[in-house]
Amino acid sequence: MDLVGDYRLLAGRVAVWDALNDADVLRRCIPGCQSLEKVSDREMTATVVAKIGPVKATFKGAVTLENMVPPESYTIVGEGKGGVAGFAKGSADVSLVEDGDGTVLSYSVKAQVGGKLAQLGSRLIVSTSRKMADEFFGTFKEIVEGGGAAAGSPGSADAGAGAGAGASPSSPPSSSSPSSSSVAGSSTGAEAGSGASSSFAGVELDAGLAEAAKAQALSDAPHRVGEAVSEAVHEVEAEVESAAGRGFLGGPVVWGLAALGVVIVVLALMS
């Protein structure tokens, strides 16, 4: 398997060379790398978890740097064994060329795989290798061009916190701080409210669930109407009995006929 590529980095050639020889930088860049230790200036040992198609294995191997011409080029020779998954070995020629305010890194890889890995086919192996290479150099580019800012950010944050702590005793309290805090609280509440409302944005209602809820509501409607009507009839009966007892408008016979008429009307409405 042969793999060739190049990347332009916005960093000086010496800085790129130093990063390529930094075990910590390489460990952060290699996809699936669990450990990378520098045995000597030209030897490293590594443990990498890699997944190629359906095969996932832990590879343990050694890397040797040869043909070193600082800060221009070197050759990486390595071999890793993944147990029953098989093995991988090969070499990569890496060269650095200055390009204005940047550096062009070029590589040419020649590798060989065996065991179950070899049964997966060259197309899958090449595509996976190219993906891993893109991940490696993408992370490497961020580290080199960032000048180690990511690694130094915690210390900078601590320094800023320390400076703020040292300045607070000498600075007098501000009279506007209560209003500022109230404004901050208001803005926080507004943000929380907007976050609560926006959390439902884009949620689509399931049509099946909506129809089921509608059908259930319609099926329950007659029962609820019946209960309401029954309660109304009981109230009318109570009023009728009370009025009949008082002899109002003709006594019990008239009110009994009125109650019967109300019941007939209610039954007609329910049917």
Side-chain angles (χ1 to χ4, degrees):
M1 177 188 69
D2 295 337
L3 198 62
V4 178
D6 57 73
Y7 291 84
R8 188 179 189 280
L9 308 172
L10 295 178
R13 185 167 64 171
V14 174
V16 176
W17 175 265
D18 292 340
L20 285 174
N21 289 273
D22 189 324
D24 183 63
V25 172
L26 296 178
R27 178 185 57 79
R28 293 160 59 188
C29 296
I30 298 174
C33 183
Q34 293 184 334
S35 66
L36 182 66
E37 298 179 0
K38 199 168 186 177
V39 179
S40 66
D41 292 340
R42 299 196 176 194
E43 294 179 333
M44 301 180 187
T45 59
T47 301
V48 178
V49 177
K51 185 177 184 299
I52 303 177
V55 178
K56 181 179 181 180
T58 300
F59 293 85
K60 295 183 178 181
V63 176
T64 304
L65 305 180
E66 301 179 352
N67 306 324
M68 297 185 68
V69 184
E72 297 180 4
S73 63
Y74 66 17
T75 301
I76 305 175
V77 179
E79 180 177 1
K81 296 180 180 180
V84 295
F87 67 89
K89 62 180 181 179
S91 63
D93 295 324
V94 180
S95 63
L96 304 177
V97 178
E98 293 180 342
D99 182 24
D101 58 348
T103 302
V104 175
L105 184 154
S106 303
Y107 66 89
S108 176
V109 177
K110 293 185 178 182
Q112 178 184 358
V113 297
K116 289 185 177 181
L117 293 177
Q119 301 174 8
L120 298 176
S122 60
R123 180 176 299 178
L124 178 59
I125 294 174
V126 170
S127 63
T128 303
S129 300
R130 189 173 297 279
K131 178 182 177 181
M132 294 179 67
D134 290 339
E135 291 180 6
F136 174 92
F137 286 107
T139 305
F140 184 79
K141 180 181 178 69
E142 292 179 359
I143 294 175
V144 172
E145 293 184 352
S153 57
S156 301
D158 293 341
S168 57
S170 60
S171 58
S174 173
S175 59
S176 62
S177 57
S179 60
S180 301
S181 61
S182 63
V183 172
S186 302
S187 62
T188 303
E191 291 175 359
S194 62
S197 60
S198 62
S199 62
F200 294 94
V203 177
E204 296 182 359
L205 182 63
D206 190 295
L209 293 178
E211 290 298 328
K214 181 179 178 181
Q216 183 66 32
L218 292 176
S219 64
D220 292 343
H223 177 69
R224 294 177 180 176
V225 172
E227 290 181 350
V229 171
S230 178
E231 292 179 0
V233 168
H234 287 307
E235 292 179 0
V236 171
E237 290 177 349
E239 293 294 335
V240 167
E241 290 179 358
S242 176
R246 296 194 306 268
F248 182 68
L249 294 179
V253 176
V254 175
W255 282 105
L257 293 175
L260 179 61
V262 170
V263 172
I264 292 174
V265 172
V266 169
L267 292 176
L269 292 174
M270 291 183 62
S271 62

